[in-house]
Amino acid sequence: MDISVARQLIDLNTRFYRDNATSFSATREAPWDGWRRIVAHVAAFVDALAPGKPLKMLDLACGNMRLERFLSEELPEARFEFHAVDNCGELATEPSLPAGVIYHNVDILSALLDEAPGTPEMLKNPWGIFTDACALTCCFGFMHHVPSFKLRVAVLRELVRHTAPGGIIAVSFWQFMHDERLASKAHEAEEAAREHGLLESAVLDALEPGDHLLGWQDGTSLRYCHHFEEREIDQLIEALPAGTVRPFERYSADGRAGNLNRYVLLRRTPGSEPVMKA
């Protein structure tokens, strides 16, 4: 995918969440069922910590921080240090945040696109937020907004890079085209985009296999979303640096049929190269 097309799709989603933050957040209050499978892993990390030491967690695309609230409610005795990352401050400004939340307003996709060619991988810090590795790194409901295979790999590499050896990277991949209702909405949105000129035809023509558009309540607000098939998920994991992660759990959850999201849990290999200090 051409970088200019990727930027336009990123900008489309940025505008979507900025303009629809209130209505979108109102539909995203309950935790996802798929999150419950990671609670036991988080509890094990908490039990292994020295008394009083916080568990450091990174949440990329935190939205309205319902994951932070969920984990705080599930493990009320735990002490967390949540690094919540998102570029939509309108979503992240919740009045009742749990203790330990540090919000970072960062556009990770634009930062990765702006990296200078040839910069040594372990010397990059495009997020500019913190340098300590986290025991748990989560990315839920975001990978489908990342245009192009190359940029998806870059995001996964950053998640791994910010995870301590022995820590867990938990990622969800949306498989919305398996849902008849959502698939119909995607086709309707794409037809409307062409018919009414809601997006440049050059951008629509540049969409890759699995790329779709979804509308919102007013019918004119569009967001770019990518549907993941199982083989592509395999390819993304295989593209990570050799020896840095070990996949150990994969499952489907969420939605009425329990199959809207495909979750992959990776463990950062103990002894692999640590995160470089900035």
Side-chain angles (χ1 to χ4, degrees):
M1 179 181 289
D2 185 85
I3 192 170
S4 65
V5 173
R7 288 190 187 280
Q8 290 183 69
L9 294 174
I10 292 168
D11 290 343
L12 177 71
N13 284 353
T14 297
R15 292 194 304 272
F16 172 87
Y17 285 105
R18 180 195 63 208
D19 296 343
N20 300 283
T22 300
S23 60
F24 190 85
S25 183
T27 67
R28 301 297 191 273
E29 295 181 351
W32 288 352
D33 290 339
W35 297 352
R36 302 189 185 281
R37 297 250 316 238
I38 71 168
V39 172
H41 298 299
V42 178
F45 282 133
V46 171
D47 291 342
L49 289 170
K53 186 176 181 180
L55 176 70
K56 292 186 177 181
M57 175 193 145
L58 172 63
D59 180 14
L60 177 59
C62 62
N64 62 8
M65 303 199 197
R66 55 184 169 149
L67 176 62
E68 284 74 6
R69 289 194 296 272
F70 167 72
L71 290 176
S72 295
E73 291 168 2
E74 289 292 310
L75 301 167
E77 302 303 319
R79 182 185 170 200
F80 289 101
E81 181 180 305
F82 295 111
H83 289 273
V85 180
D86 206 293
N87 72 333
C88 183
E90 292 85 354
L91 274 176
T93 54
E94 287 293 304
S96 57
L97 294 179
V101 172
I102 304 168
Y103 173 60
H104 308 273
N105 192 316
V106 177
D107 183 349
I108 176 61
L109 297 184
S110 294
L112 287 170
L113 285 177
D114 289 340
E115 286 181 353
T119 304
E121 180 67 25
M122 294 306 292
L123 296 181
K124 298 174 183 176
N125 186 18
W127 304 13
I129 52 176
F130 62 95
T131 56
D132 289 342
C134 295
L136 176 66
T137 302
C138 296
C139 182
F140 299 140
F142 179 64
M143 289 301 296
H144 58 270
H145 287 327
V146 182
S148 83
F149 182 87
K150 182 178 180 180
L151 195 53
R152 291 172 205 129
V153 172
V155 170
L156 287 177
R157 288 172 70 100
E158 285 301 307
L159 293 172
V160 173
R161 200 169 70 91
H162 282 81
T163 306
I168 290 175
I169 303 102
V171 186
S172 69
F173 298 91
W174 204 17
Q175 298 184 320
F176 59 95
M177 294 301 285
H178 293 168
D179 181 276
E180 184 177 345
R181 182 184 65 86
L182 288 173
S184 176
K185 289 183 65 175
H187 293 313
E188 291 173 2
E190 289 151 21
E191 290 177 2
R194 288 191 181 275
E195 181 179 351
H196 302 293
L198 301 178
L199 201 59
E200 292 182 12
S201 58
V203 175
L204 291 168
D205 293 339
L207 294 179
E208 299 177 338
D211 288 349
H212 296 279
L213 300 174
L214 283 172
W216 192 237
Q217 296 167 347
D218 63 2
T220 60
S221 293
L222 298 176
R223 53 183 171 143
Y224 158 80
C225 301
H226 181 82
H227 167 87
F228 290 91
E229 294 291 355
E230 202 72 14
R231 179 55 186 150
E232 183 180 1
I233 298 173
D234 291 338
Q235 291 170 339
L236 287 168
I237 297 170
E238 291 166 2
L240 292 172
T244 57
V245 297
R246 178 179 59 82
F248 70 93
E249 192 169 350
R250 188 183 297 204
Y251 59 93
S252 294
D254 308 327
R256 293 180 180 178
N259 64 352
L260 269 186
N261 280 314
R262 191 68 167 154
Y263 288 82
V264 174
L265 271 59
L266 311 169
R267 192 174 298 278
R268 180 74 188 263
T269 307
S272 59
E273 193 69 23
V275 174
M276 292 289 290
K277 295 291 185 179

